[in-house]
Amino acid sequence: MLSPIAVAVVQFNPSLDREANLETMSSYAALAAQRGARVVVFPEYSQAFTAQLGAWMGEVAEPDDGSFVSALTEIANDLGIVIVAGMLERTTDAEKPYNAVVAVGEGRMLAKSRKLHLYDAFGTTESDWLQAGDPLDAPATFEIDGMRFGLQTCYDLRFPEVSRRLVDAGAQVLVIPAEWVRGPLKEHHWQTLLRARAIENTVAVAAADHAPPVAVGHSCIIDARGVVTAKVGVEQGVAVGWIEPDEIVEVRRTNPALRLRKYAVTALETA
């Protein structure tokens, strides 16, 4: 029998000042750890962000062993936790970095996911400034205290096969950093899709967004039944929820949808 794990989602608005962002993240991580969190999830673009996409994205990009990840790893080590956060990862194309999510703890990087589906929707063209991840890369997961977590990013949420592929790789918790841009019905989409991914995959979900006015907020923890167990709302702040492995087992026993399904997930050759 595995013990419940406390997971925190942090909702904050990063700026282009990386050092200020790290200071804010350190403070929120310490608060989450004080409340018992073993895993602390920050939003997409936690390293650096401004509302208007542009050349700054390539300018602030770092390698995945650069100063931002090193600082996060040090914070995680000092607090004895795992930190998940979004960053811009440098590529061979200096003008088009990856939109990446890293999980760090235990003195090292535990997992890294590169955003697969760039946000070319609702009047935004993220692909003008970013390079998409390779859909053939192995699913990004890590294990802590016997529970497996799977990483995906923001717009990937609209593609259920991304979550299902992580679940096929053993994920019991989907971790979703986001900058879910506000707009008509966008708050409704965010909350509905998060619950849907939990229900259809019988997994817990931990989703961290920016706060308004650019994003919708409503960072939350959702259990495998699709019930929100902890939530931030529209302000900057932190929420901690407990994820119970035994509950996931019981949900899957009652609703064995994963075992009963007829289709598998594969990457498109043209992706």
Side-chain angles (χ1 to χ4, degrees), residues 153-204:
T153 311
C154 198
Y155 193 53
D156 284 336
L157 179 65
R158 291 184 180 272
F159 301 85
E161 59 272 18
V162 176
S163 298
R164 179 56 58 85
R165 189 163 177 258
L166 289 167
V167 173
D168 283 348
Q172 298 155 288
V173 185
L174 300 177
V175 179
I176 309 175
E179 192 275 304
W180 199 267
V181 180
R182 292 185 77 185
L185 297 177
K186 293 295 290 301
E187 179 183 316
H188 169 67
H189 291 182
W190 169 243
Q191 296 179 79
T192 300
L193 290 169
L194 289 173
R195 289 194 296 268
R197 297 296 88 85
I199 293 167
E200 69 196 6
N201 291 295
T202 55
V203 292

Side-chain angles (χ1 to χ4, degrees), residues 217-231:
H218 295 285
S219 302
C220 59
I221 307 291
I222 301 172
D223 71 16
R225 301 167 299 164
V227 176
V228 176
T229 59
K231 186 175 182 180

Side-chain angles (χ1 to χ4, degrees), residues 42-267:
F42 288 91
E44 180 183 22
Y45 293 118
S46 287
Q47 171 211 21
F49 183 74
T50 188
Q52 187 65 43
L53 304 185
W56 64 268
M57 304 175 89
E59 294 166 1
V60 305
E62 300 182 22
D64 63 9
D65 60 353
S67 57
F68 178 74
V69 173
S70 296
L72 283 188
T73 304
E74 184 176 346
I75 294 169
N77 281 351
D78 289 345
L79 296 172
I81 61 175
V82 172
I83 291 178
V84 178
M87 65 171 291
L88 290 163
E89 180 194 1
R90 188 175 299 162
T91 68
T92 54
D93 183 345
E95 296 181 355
K96 281 195 171 186
Y98 291 119
N99 184 333
V101 169
V102 296
V104 297
E106 304 173 355
R108 60 191 176 91
M109 183 180 295
L110 302 175
K112 179 180 69 177
S113 172
R114 292 166 173 163
K115 192 173 187 179
L116 296 171
H117 300 90
L118 299 181
Y119 186 54
D120 289 356
F122 299 97
T124 299
T125 312
E126 204 173 39
S127 62
D128 284 348
W129 306 102
L130 295 174
Q131 186 174 158
D134 186 343
L136 298 179
D137 285 345
T141 69
F142 67 92
E143 188 171 305
I144 184 77
D145 295 345
M147 183 170 286
R148 186 156 294 277
F149 294 74
L151 304 179
Q152 64 184 97
T153 311
C154 198
Y155 193 53
D156 284 336
L157 179 65
R158 291 184 180 272
F159 301 85
E161 59 272 18
V162 176
S163 298
R164 179 56 58 85
R165 189 163 177 258
L166 289 167
V167 173
D168 283 348
Q172 298 155 288
V173 185
L174 300 177
V175 179
I176 309 175
E179 192 275 304
W180 199 267
V181 180
R182 292 185 77 185
L185 297 177
K186 293 295 290 301
E187 179 183 316
H188 169 67
H189 291 182
W190 169 243
Q191 296 179 79
T192 300
L193 290 169
L194 289 173
R195 289 194 296 268
R197 297 296 88 85
I199 293 167
E200 69 196 6
N201 291 295
T202 55
V203 292
V205 170
D209 193 17
H210 295 214
V214 177
V216 302
H218 295 285
S219 302
C220 59
I221 307 291
I222 301 172
D223 71 16
R225 301 167 299 164
V227 176
V228 176
T229 59
K231 186 175 182 180
V232 178
V234 296
E235 304 298 328
Q236 298 190 68
V238 57
V240 179
W242 290 86
I243 297 175
E244 301 190 22
D246 290 345
E247 181 180 78
I248 296 173
V249 171
E250 177 59 21
V251 169
R252 290 181 174 183
R253 184 192 67 79
T254 305
N255 174 26
L258 295 175
R259 177 170 58 82
L260 296 175
R261 64 197 173 110
K262 305 297 183 181
Y263 298 95
V265 174
T266 59

